[in-house]
């Protein structure tokens, strides 16, 4: 059985180490916060906050307190606030240990596309280009194939790039892959997924 | 010098011109200058270029200026779920210059800090870097990004004293300080104007030197994504 959203998030949480400052993207990456256990992880929200807390209890929502996905959130005793220029200063400056984000496509040399489909869908890159260029480690969490069953793990991205050679690790519903010299290396298979299944769903070059 | 004005319309008096560049603070609908946006809608000024991370949502915030077709060009990082923004862009009615969010913030900060441009690794190898100078530093490529200096900036703070010393609240700070800094004239709206000496000088987020005109008003503060957890 391939991993579901929560299992992918739980697997991604294993990448995080005590004391890390981390930025989580919108969607499945947001769920990673539910699986960090006892580890002391500080979440950065690029709209200007370190030490992001959980969603507020109903009735206590504060319109002045949102995350980068525009969702209402809460603060923690360790929270600090700052402006957008300072926020991206710490991102660009390499102070954030890791970013976990979603993707439309990833290529075998670590290129990432996740911000637009020309002529169809215009989302915008938001802070993703800054994050992938600046943080210590870029971890992509996504389904291995799109809704038409086509691989999202490609030899080359077809969509406009968010960053070139920026991805370090892919955690998909089928397993974990690292970007290495010459292609992608299978690090782990999701429980019940065979290597043949993962290979069949991967267009990119797989190396040993 | 008097900085406090009676209304958003009065504060913008004599500042608005067709075709001008306006920098706006706010992230999504958080910390946006609601009252000044409404006054710009009211003024009918057109062919605006607006530097702002987002363009509000359909029918609220800067989205109102899309509805009235007063915007010619947006300099933004995120369109998101704003259907009218996407429609106008895809149909070619609206010019859209995509900026990585951190690059947009730094372009504004630089504009206010007398730095005409800066090199960043953000966007190297993507469409964002096309047509721009690439320079290598210590073996890594960086792209030259130009500063933004706006004709007018419109921002929102929580509290300010009558000299414009301002304090923001939580994540409503976001783009407001850099947007304020990059304006030749900055107009700020706040929830409360207080007398000088009321705010602790050590707690000022934006010194009044960046703020030229100031108004106080009521804010709707609409929430874009209301997310909650059950009470324990």
């Amino acid at each position: 059985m391939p991993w579901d959203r929560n299992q992918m998030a739980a697997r991604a949480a294993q990448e995080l180490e005590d004391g890390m400052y981390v930025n989580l993207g919108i969607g499945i990456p947001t769920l990673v916060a539910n699986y960090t256990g006892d580890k002391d992880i500080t979440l950065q929200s690029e709209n200007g906050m370190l030490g992001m807390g959980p969603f507020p209890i109903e009735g206590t929502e504060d319109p002045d307190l949102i995350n980068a996905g525009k969702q209402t959130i809460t603060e923690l005793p360790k929270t600090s606030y700052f402006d957008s220029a300072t926020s991206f200063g710490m991102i660009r400056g390499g102070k954030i240990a890791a970013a976990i984000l979603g993707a439309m496509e990833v290529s075998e040399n670590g290129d990432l596309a996740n911000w637009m489909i020309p002529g169809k869908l215009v989302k915008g890159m938001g802070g993703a280009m800054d994050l992938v260029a600046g943080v210590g480690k870029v971890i992509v969490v996504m389904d291995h194939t799109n809704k038409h069953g086509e691989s999202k793990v490609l030899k080359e991205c077809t969509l406009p790039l968010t960053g070139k050679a920026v991805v370090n690790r892919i955690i998909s519903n089928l397993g974990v892959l690292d970007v290495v010299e010459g292609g992608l290396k299978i690090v782990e298979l999701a429980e019940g997924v065979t290597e043949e299944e993962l290979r069949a769903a991967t267009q990119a070059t797989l190396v040993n | 010098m008097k900085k406090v004005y009676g209304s958003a319309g009065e504060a913008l008096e004599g500042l608005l011109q067709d075709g001008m560049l306006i920098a706006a603070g706010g992230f999504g609908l958080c910390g946006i200058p609601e009252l000044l946006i409404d006054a710009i809608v009211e003024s009918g000024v057109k062919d605006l270029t607006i530097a702002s991370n987002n363009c509000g949502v359909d029918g609220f915030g800067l989205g109102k200026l899309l509805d009235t077709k007063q915007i010619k060009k947006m300099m933004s990082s995120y369109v998101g779920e704003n259907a009218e923004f996407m429609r106008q862009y895809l149909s070619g009615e609206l010019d859209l210059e995509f900026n990585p969010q951190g690059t947009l913030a730094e372009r504004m900060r630089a504009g206010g800090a007398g730095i005409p441009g800066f090199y960043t690794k953000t966007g190297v190898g993507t469409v964002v870097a096309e047509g721009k100078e690439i320079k290598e530093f210590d073996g890594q490529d960086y792209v030259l990004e130009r500063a933004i200096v706006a004709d007018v900036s419109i921002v929102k703070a929580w509290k300010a004293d009558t000299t414009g010393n301002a304090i923001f609240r939580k994540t409503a700070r976001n783009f407001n300080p850099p947007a304020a800094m990059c304006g030749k004239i900055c107009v700020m709206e706040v929830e409360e104007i207080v007398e000088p000496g009321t705010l602790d000088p050590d707690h000022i987020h934006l010194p009044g030197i960046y703020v030229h005109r100031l108004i106080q008003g009521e804010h709707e503060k609409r929430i874009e994504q209301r997310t909650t957890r059950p009470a324990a």
Side-chain angles (χ1 to χ4, degrees), chain A residues 12-30:
Chain A
Q14 290 176 24
E15 303 291 321
L16 305 182
E17 292 163 26
D18 207 51
M20 272 188 173
Y21 290 91
V22 178
N23 184 292
L24 303 178
I26 299 167
I28 301 174
T30 304

Side-chain angles (χ1 to χ4, degrees), chain A residues 55-56 61-66 70-72 75 81 83-84 88 92 122-127 130 133, chain B residues 30 54 77-80 86 98 101-103 120-122 169-171 174-175 221 224-229:
Chain A
F55 293 149
E61 306 93 312
D62 183 341
D64 288 339
L65 184 43
I66 64 168
K70 283 97 176 180
Q71 298 170 313
T72 46
E75 63 185 20
Y81 298 110
D83 67 63
S84 299
F88 283 93
R92 224 184 288 106
V122 192
K123 269 170 22 123
M125 69 286 283
D130 310 271
Chain B
C30 183
N54 313 86
S77 85
Y78 199 71
V79 173
M86 184 159 7
F98 271 116
Q101 195 172 133
T103 296
T120 174
K121 57 190 167 182
T122 300
R169 189 171 173 276
K170 303 185 188 287
T171 57
N174 56 59
F175 272 85
K221 294 211 222 179
E224 203 167 331
Q225 306 273 352
R226 190 178 294 275
T227 44
T228 58
R229 71 189 141 107

